[in-house]
Amino acid sequence: MRLNWLVFSFIFLSIGCNASDNTWSEGACIDKSLTYEGATRDYYNRGAVLPWNNLGGDWIDDFYTSMGDRPFSRFSVDPTTSPFPVEADVSQLVNAWQTGALVNHGFFIRPQQQNAVLFESKESSESGAKPKLIITDNVGKTHVLEAVADTHIQTSTYRCLGQKVQMSGKWPVLLKFDLSPIQGEVKSATLQLFATNKSNVRGAFNVFATEIKRQYSYPEIGFSQKLPLGLPIDKDPRVLFHEDFSDGFSLSLASRIRGSEDYIVENDRESFRPVDGQAMQIKVAKGDHWGSSHYIDLTEHKLQQAYMRYHIRLGKSWDVAHTGKLPGFTGTYRKTSMAAGWGGRKSNGKNGWSARGAFGVSTSAENTYPNVLPIGTYLYHADMKSAYGDSLYWNRNPKGHLQKERWYAIEQFIKMNTPGNKDGQIKAWVNGHLVFEKGDIRFTDDPRFVVENVWLNVYYGGKTPAPKDVTLFIDDLVVATEYIGSPLNR
């Protein structure tokens, strides 16, 4: 389609941004289904693929110092063989949250030494033993709050543990309470936990504030936003390829390998809404992997670097339980002796490479980023360890998530490395916001290798096919020599 940029920008600037609760997630942590999307040693939100800065979690001390050693409060658990309540005065920290000095991401409780203490969680069968925050407000009224999320961060596992009935005091414990019922500063706040000490050793604990660094992001302006009004983007000399799907797909310019797609202006079942004219509909059928696979040949340009932007909209059906592939750049050199970079054909510096897009698993409704799709890069490169590509999620900030039934502009940049050196680059933007940057990639050791193709690839799973029909939509594909920019700056 030919986009009406002013209308397009107005529509999407008025929609609002992705999920706004940028905090850690207890999420769904279910061993039976191998679902682990809550806070873990590596991620404060594994489902949304949002990492801690430090292995095992981040905290703030009462000097407001990241990873500092002065706690807001301390408490201990004496030797005992039966559950009993322990308390900590957390008035100072709660008032820091109430006044806005700190954002309420909950308590981060760190053990002072090895111990065998178990704390009852909010999932405990003993309702009276669940974690509580007892607050006396500034007019003397007492509020008893129960935790809205709790977990412990065990550094010996990649799994989240948010649904356990007990939390191990051997590891950091995270607790979050909803303070919205409390107005203004408080007179006192007491954290109450029920603990069992399984040894005769005293357990001592420090109370800090959980830290989730604020992610500021501003959209970057590209040349497409500076074009004279009415000038089609494909008339700009920086544009190497443009497809708006108004007449289907220009197959004379794009080599189709496999897949199935339609060109539509409406699909009520998938809640499709075009901006202006026709778009490309891609469906992965139940029991299948392939949605689309087109190669756009760029070899005549002998590119060492390039930008590619396309618009994507996930249909109403797009809830996925397995990872897959999305469009990106490649140099796979199919049908030659150097063929590599896909399907377990490992790159080694003397053969092909690829940097396709990737999608992760849709988050659950329980996640603090509910029902979103993490996306990233699926990279075959000369330093890869396994036979299959490395998944690099776009998690510089939470803009690297897609919600269903919304249009997004995805832009990717690639720069080939100096042969033999680790200086190749990948960048990615979502709606103009930089969401990923990596500059130490060795694609190849051969100076003959270039940016060969854009692979317009939609593929479900690795070996697991789609359990149901899932549909997405793509529009306005542009390949250029400079940063293109997005009309969806939101």
Side-chain angles (χ1 to χ4, degrees), residues 128-410:
K130 297 179 180 181
K132 297 179 180 63
L133 184 60
I134 304 168
I135 290 178
T136 302
D137 64 21
N138 54 14
V139 296
K141 184 178 179 179
T142 298
H143 306 260
V144 180
L145 307 178
E146 292 194 353
V148 295
D150 59 16
T151 192
H152 63 280
I153 305 296
Q154 187 170 328
T155 56
S156 60
T157 181
Y158 63 88
R159 300 176 179 181
C160 59
L161 304 163
Q163 271 73 60
K164 299 295 184 183
V165 297
Q166 291 182 316
M167 301 174 289
S168 172
K170 180 181 178 181
W171 309 100
V173 170
L174 277 63
L175 295 152
K176 192 170 189 298
F177 295 84
D178 178 10
L179 299 179
S180 60
I182 314 300
Q183 301 300 315
E185 295 187 50
V186 304
K187 289 183 178 179
S188 67
T190 302
L191 177 63
Q192 185 180 89
L193 299 171
F194 277 75
T196 299
N197 193 338
K198 300 180 69 175
S199 71
N200 291 321
V201 178
R202 180 174 178 269
F205 301 88
N206 293 333
V207 180
F208 298 90
T210 303
E211 181 179 36
I212 307 294
K213 289 189 179 296
R214 294 187 179 186
Q215 305 288 346
Y216 296 101
S217 176
Y218 301 95
E220 299 180 24
I221 303 300
F223 76 82
S224 68
Q225 296 147 293
K226 303 175 184 178
L227 295 177
L229 188 64
L231 178 68
I233 192 171
D234 54 6
K235 300 301 182 182
D236 190 280
R238 290 163 288 195
V239 173
L240 305 176
F241 179 87
H242 177 233
E243 178 60 77
D244 64 10
F245 304 106
S246 57
D247 297 313
F249 203 157
S250 303
L251 292 177
S252 60
L253 299 176
S255 172
R256 175 178 171 179
I257 303 299
R258 67 169 76 178
S260 65
E261 60 271 331
D262 293 309
Y263 303 94
I264 66 164
V265 293
E266 62 180 24
N267 183 336
D268 290 338
R269 184 175 182 179
E270 291 290 346
S271 298
F272 174 73
R273 298 293 181 271
V275 176
D276 181 19
Q278 191 162 262
M280 183 183 194
Q281 174 180 280
I282 299 173
K283 181 176 77 172
V284 181
K286 178 181 178 180
D288 200 356
H289 294 281
W290 290 95
S292 182
S293 185
H294 290 271
Y295 277 91
I296 300 167
D297 187 3
L298 303 174
T299 53
E300 66 175 292
H301 303 291
K302 302 185 185 328
L303 298 170
Q304 289 296 308
Q305 65 180 54
Y307 294 83
M308 183 266 286
R309 189 203 70 196
Y310 66 98
H311 293 95
I312 186 171
R313 180 185 176 102
L314 305 178
K316 188 175 182 180
S317 63
W318 197 273
D319 297 299
V320 295
H322 292 87
T323 61
K325 288 82 176 178
L326 291 171
F329 289 106
T330 68
T332 53
Y333 291 87
R334 290 172 179 260
K335 299 181 181 180
T336 75
S337 60
M338 300 179 294
W342 84 100
R345 299 166 180 84
K346 188 175 180 180
S347 300
N348 60 20
K350 300 178 182 179
N351 56 11
W353 57 273
S354 66
R356 279 177 287 175
F359 61 82
V361 175
S362 301
T363 62
S364 71
E366 291 76 29
N367 199 294
T368 53
Y369 282 89
N371 306 313
V372 299
L373 186 76
I375 57 174
T377 295
Y378 187 60
L379 180 64
Y380 277 75
H381 58 110
D383 295 307
M384 60 190 296
K385 303 301 181 185
S386 71
Y388 293 92
D390 297 335
S391 294
L392 308 174
Y393 285 95
W394 298 348
N395 53 18
R396 180 187 177 105
N397 57 60
K399 295 288 185 180
H401 300 141
L402 305 185
Q403 293 181 316
K404 295 190 296 183
E405 303 170 54
R406 290 186 178 184
W407 281 105
Y408 293 87
I410 306 296

Side-chain angles (χ1 to χ4, degrees), residues 38-59:
T40 69
R41 64 182 187 185
D42 302 298
Y43 301 99
Y44 66 84
N45 189 326
R46 185 182 173 191
V49 203
L50 296 170
W52 297 109
N53 287 332
N54 297 278
L55 182 70
D58 305 324
W59 66 85

